[in-house]
Amino acid sequence: MTTIAKEPAAGITTCAAGYTHAAAWILGLAAAWGATPEVGDTHAGITAAYADRSVQAVAQALLVHGVAAVGLVVVGSGLLDWARRTSNTAARLAGWAGRVAGALAFVQLVVELIAVPGADPASPGRTGALFEASQRADGVKMFVLAVLAAAACVASRHGTLLRRWEVVIGWVLAATITASGIGYLLLSTALTPAAFISLPLLLIWIAALGAALGRRH
């Protein structure tokens, strides 16, 4: 009875985590829309943006790289649980990728919580360097998310986890988020706009993945 009770609870938690990830991102973007710096901004511009709108920047960081990261870790853990029960190697890789992506987001959160309160327009170099470090970490995280998407799609052969449309979105996500990851890692303004495609796909797909895992419990 205890095992039976635990499995539905775990499924509900994983499903909720997928939706929480999307909701945190949407709220985070709304909290600081147009108020935070972008890749390609000068160190002076980055520092001024953080100094002028520190509350909005911190709120965004807490939501996008804090709450959303917890959602990723929970979904990754759900994948690992499903992989153990089904002996699915690809799902195991996807699960660890989810956990690593969440951990990288936490690293970004720490960097931003140092950079934003310490923003001093008189000395912009430190804040600019921290911002760029966070963006490069974001690029690495995007590569890990591409692994998560691709591995989960492979794990779903014969419809064992994701439905066909979810697999299609997963493969498109893997391709587009790899492109945006290169842009953020290299701080390339030519490639970072790919995130305008990959981010919505990521939010939809992680929510769908969490729901799929919830159905499998």
Side-chain angles (χ1 to χ4, degrees):
M1 291 294 291
T2 303
T3 303
I4 293 172
K6 282 182 178 178
E7 287 187 356
I12 292 169
T13 300
T14 307
C15 182
Y19 290 118
T20 298
H21 174 266
W25 258 102
I26 292 168
L27 290 172
L29 292 174
W33 186 261
T36 50
E38 301 286 345
V39 170
D41 288 352
T42 64
H43 285 190
I46 292 165
T47 305
Y50 277 161
D52 293 343
R53 303 175 183 86
S54 59
V55 173
Q56 291 161 283
V58 168
Q60 184 180 80
L62 290 171
L63 287 164
V64 169
H65 297 138
V67 177
V70 173
L72 268 180
V73 171
V74 173
V75 170
S77 297
L79 270 167
L80 287 173
D81 181 59
W82 186 75
R84 282 191 293 270
R85 289 187 284 111
T86 59
S87 300
N88 192 310
T89 303
R92 185 176 298 110
L93 174 61
W96 279 111
R99 284 185 170 182
V100 171
L104 286 167
F106 283 127
V107 171
Q108 288 182 267
L109 175 61
V110 171
V111 171
E112 288 164 349
L113 291 180
I114 294 171
V116 176
D120 180 5
S123 180
R126 175 177 175 273
T127 301
L130 287 170
F131 172 81
E132 290 174 354
S134 176
Q135 301 312 297
R136 293 186 191 278
D138 208 11
V140 176
K141 183 182 71 180
M142 290 177 188
F143 294 145
V144 177
L145 288 169
V147 173
L148 165 60
C153 289
V154 171
S156 300
R157 285 177 296 182
H158 312 300
T160 53
L161 178 60
L162 297 171
R163 291 171 288 199
R164 182 170 297 179
W165 70 267
E166 294 166 338
V167 171
V168 171
I169 290 178
W171 284 118
V172 176
L173 169 63
T176 56
I177 207 166
T178 296
S180 55
I182 294 170
Y184 277 84
L185 184 62
L186 301 179
L187 303 179
S188 167
T189 55
L191 289 174
T192 51
F196 286 106
I197 300 172
S198 62
L199 179 57
L201 291 176
L202 175 67
L203 304 190
I204 293 168
W205 189 79
I206 292 294
L209 176 60
L213 289 166
R215 292 193 299 270
R216 296 300 182 268
H217 279 277

